[in-house]
Amino acid sequence: MVITITKPVFSDNAKKVLKHLQENQGKDETFKDIAKAVHLTDKATNCIITSSLVRKGYAVRETHPDGGTKFIRLTEEGIKADPESTVTYTK
């Protein structure tokens, strides 16, 4: 018996964050700026950025020359990513 499962690549909140970053490319935004814009907590946004975007290669954290402020930037893969994409598994 073969079972096929289709799941979204991004959670609903990760979709919000990714869409926001795609729509605001080139802006210097910290995770707190992003959290405010997408109406999520700072903690939830930081977790999404780390686990759903940075670790998977969709975004990077860039340190401002002042040495402390970290801005979130999409990689080429993040710019091209479809927030609504799905992945299908077969068992």
Side-chain angles (χ1 to χ4, degrees):
M1 179 180 197
V2 175
I3 299 172
T4 303
I5 301 168
T6 301
K7 293 174 42 174
V9 172
F10 301 101
S11 68
D12 289 342
N13 287 338
K15 288 177 193 179
K16 287 182 190 179
V17 172
L18 179 59
K19 286 178 187 178
H20 174 79
L21 288 168
Q22 288 173 331
E23 292 166 359
N24 293 278
Q25 287 181 61
K27 276 181 86 176
D28 289 338
E29 290 191 295
T30 64
F31 78 89
K32 288 185 179 201
D33 298 327
I34 297 164
K36 186 175 180 181
V38 298
H39 307 289
L40 296 172
T41 65
D42 291 353
K43 184 176 180 178
T45 303
N46 193 31
C47 182
I48 289 164
I49 289 168
T50 300
S51 64
S52 296
L53 301 180
V54 173
R55 286 187 187 154
K56 294 178 181 177
Y58 295 108
V60 294
R61 286 186 170 91
E62 293 183 352
T63 304
H64 187 272
D66 71 10
T69 307
K70 292 188 180 181
F71 298 113
I72 311 304
R73 304 259 190 258
L74 290 177
T75 61
E76 285 299 316
E77 191 169 338
I79 292 167
K80 293 186 245 177
D82 177 3
E84 302 298 330
S85 61
T86 60
V87 64
T88 301
Y89 301 97
T90 304
K91 292 184 178 184

